[in-house]
Amino acid sequence: MQRRDFLTHAGLGALAGTAALTGCGKKDENAPAQKATASGEVIHWKLVSAAPKNFPGLGTGAENIARYINELSGGRLSVKVYGAGELVPAFETFDAVSRNTAQIGHGGGSYYWKGKHEATQYFTTVPFGLTAQEMNAWLFYGGGLELWQELYAPFNLVPMPGGNSGVQMGGWFNREIRSLADLKGLKMRIPGLGGEVLTRVGVTAVNLPGAELFMALQNGTIDAAEWVAPYNDLAFGFHKVAKYYYAPGWHEPGSTVEAFINKQALDGLPPDLRHIVLNACKLANADMLAEYTARNHASLETLLNQHGVPVRRFPDDVLTALRNTTLQVMEEIAARDPFSRRVHDSLMGFLEQVRGWTDISELAYLIARDGLPGTKGDNA
Ligand code: CA
């Protein structure tokens, strides 16, 4: 099938809410797996990551999925992990698993695939949207995962949350941001809806894989970049090529790192292995949030105390403007097609419901414990 035909067909399929797709990742490719199961031989799968191999958080998440599957299956299903670029480039993992070149993809965000369908962006995160805790609540108990599965079905993929970064940082800037005007004319790496929002206020938003960001900042191809948070950002050494580190990550308040599995490959497994694969992703989802929560603060201290990085908060009026623009951008996306509307209404409806509880529980507690932000003499 031609690439364009595939995308058109898949896009229309997603719009129509159908699960049928012909022509990609066919059964024949899974015949060896089924045979291997019956004869008790080991099934070998490939996992392609959008992150460099063993990269903190994102890369170890891929390793965790592979390890859990290997351990829980008693070695019956063996998963080999390929880092970004080893088997396919980061931005080709979706198509690679769709056509069963690899059976699992991991390590990026569903928002990488907005060219396939705009609604993909909602399943990573929404600016000023759900926190990690709320995102997991929406996905597993609020109808989010069902919508995500419906969206990926025409691409021959079964999505699962495979990690969560928690609240990210606002990014690295070579210019101080004192007002909205300081954002105008910036060229910034920022994918997803955050990029859409910044485009409206005069930023040129681009997406680049993480491994290319250091060079792009160093040679001035971009003036600013968001990646994740201190644990990952320190590993890439962005403090060597960018001046200011901004908080908060208004654009990614709790990003789901996705896993996706080739549907025929998954269907071709015996039921116990199928459950193991899906639950290994679920375990990795919880693990990653714990890992980020445990590691980010130590890396932040290193950036502050060893490298003297100036950490800044975006001014309140900048955040207010970005929040208003976010609502406009999301309304426009929802208005463009019926499936995006369904996802939008589901997520935003959930946010409206959960907000009251979060404010009286997490927020009220954190203010009681730590005080209001900026009251402890930090340099942010
Ligand atoms: Ca990010």
Side-chain angles (χ1 to χ4, degrees), residues 227-263:
W227 174 232
V228 186
Y231 183 38
N232 284 154
D233 293 4
L234 177 65
F236 269 147
F238 296 143
H239 56 283
K240 296 173 194 160
V241 288
K243 200 160 177 196
Y244 302 100
Y245 198 19
Y246 268 88
W250 58 274
H251 62 300
E252 298 202 55
S255 294
T256 295
V257 175
E258 67 174 357
F260 43 80
I261 304 132
N262 179 278
K263 188 170 188 315

Side-chain angles (χ1 to χ4, degrees), residues 136-156:
N136 284 322
W138 176 60
L139 287 170
F140 291 116
Y141 290 90
L145 184 57
E146 286 85 354
L147 285 165
W148 194 6
Q149 287 169 342
E150 185 177 334
L151 179 63
Y152 275 24
F155 298 99
N156 207 30

Side-chain angles (χ1 to χ4, degrees), residues 111-112 124-125 165 168-169 189-191 226-229 233 251-252 255:
Y111 60 8
Y112 284 179
T124 304
T125 189
S165 65
Q168 300 198 1
M169 282 293 281
R189 184 273 181 188
I190 174 166
E226 76 77 46
W227 174 232
V228 186
D233 293 4
H251 62 300
E252 298 202 55
S255 294

Side-chain angles (χ1 to χ4, degrees), residues 41-361:
E41 291 169 24
V42 174
I43 301 168
H44 293 278
W45 272 18
K46 294 177 179 137
L47 183 158
V48 284
S49 173
K53 197 161 165 72
N54 288 315
F55 191 75
L58 303 174
T60 50
E63 297 292 339
N64 281 340
I65 290 178
R67 183 168 57 83
Y68 289 141
I69 293 174
N70 292 341
E71 287 175 359
L72 293 169
S73 72
R76 289 159 60 215
L77 178 53
S78 173
V79 179
K80 182 171 166 53
V81 176
Y82 295 84
E86 289 187 334
L87 193 63
V88 294
F91 290 158
E92 290 177 22
T93 53
F94 188 97
D95 290 340
V97 177
S98 185
R99 65 174 180 261
N100 209 20
T101 299
Q103 289 66 48
I104 308 180
H106 182 263
S110 58
Y111 60 8
Y112 284 179
W113 323 118
K114 70 172 183 179
K116 298 182 188 298
H117 197 295
E118 283 195 302
T120 56
Q121 300 174 101
Y122 288 85
F123 299 100
T124 304
T125 189
V126 165
F128 300 100
L130 303 169
T131 64
Q133 189 170 328
E134 294 166 341
M135 186 70 180
N136 284 322
W138 176 60
L139 287 170
F140 291 116
Y141 290 90
L145 184 57
E146 286 85 354
L147 285 165
W148 194 6
Q149 287 169 342
E150 185 177 334
L151 179 63
Y152 275 24
F155 298 99
N156 207 30
L157 297 172
V158 177
M160 276 296 285
N164 196 300
S165 65
V167 181
Q168 300 198 1
M169 282 293 281
W172 296 84
F173 291 75
N174 274 321
R175 181 194 294 178
E176 203 160 0
I177 308 301
R178 297 175 189 278
S179 70
L180 211 54
D182 291 324
L183 289 170
K184 285 196 204 322
L186 273 184
K187 191 164 183 189
M188 179 171 184
R189 184 273 181 188
I190 174 166
L193 290 163
E196 283 274 329
V197 171
L198 285 184
T199 300
R200 305 294 175 96
V201 298
V203 172
T204 302
V206 297
N207 192 11
L208 294 169
E212 294 175 23
L213 296 186
F214 184 92
M215 188 78 78
L217 280 167
Q218 190 175 42
N219 65 23
T221 309
I222 54 176
D223 313 300
E226 76 77 46
W227 174 232
V228 186
Y231 183 38
N232 284 154
D233 293 4
L234 177 65
F236 269 147
F238 296 143
H239 56 283
K240 296 173 194 160
V241 288
K243 200 160 177 196
Y244 302 100
Y245 198 19
Y246 268 88
W250 58 274
H251 62 300
E252 298 202 55
S255 294
T256 295
V257 175
E258 67 174 357
F260 43 80
I261 304 132
N262 179 278
K263 188 170 188 315
Q264 276 79 44
L266 187 66
D267 289 347
L269 293 174
D272 65 330
L273 291 184
R274 213 177 301 148
H275 291 303
I276 284 170
V277 168
L278 295 175
N279 281 296
C281 297
K282 216 169 164 179
L283 281 172
N285 183 51
D287 258 12
M288 194 185 292
L289 183 60
E291 184 183 2
Y292 274 116
T293 306
R295 304 285 181 242
N296 272 328
H297 71 89
S299 299
L300 177 63
E301 276 170 29
T302 302
L303 288 169
L304 286 170
N305 301 329
Q306 285 183 30
H307 302 297
V309 170
V311 175
R312 298 276 185 272
R313 266 199 196 91
F314 290 116
D316 288 343
D317 58 339
V318 168
L319 290 172
T320 300
L322 295 177
R323 192 165 59 238
N324 293 337
T325 307
T326 293
L327 293 174
Q328 285 170 22
V329 166
M330 290 182 57
E331 263 308 322
E332 288 170 26
I333 289 172
R336 278 201 285 270
D337 80 84
F339 188 80
S340 294
R341 166 59 68 193
R342 283 174 58 207
V343 178
H344 175 95
D345 288 355
S346 173
L347 187 146
M348 296 305 278
F350 191 85
L351 172 58
E352 281 315 306
Q353 288 170 11
V354 81
R355 186 197 297 275
W357 170 240
T358 298
D359 287 356
I360 204 74
S361 57

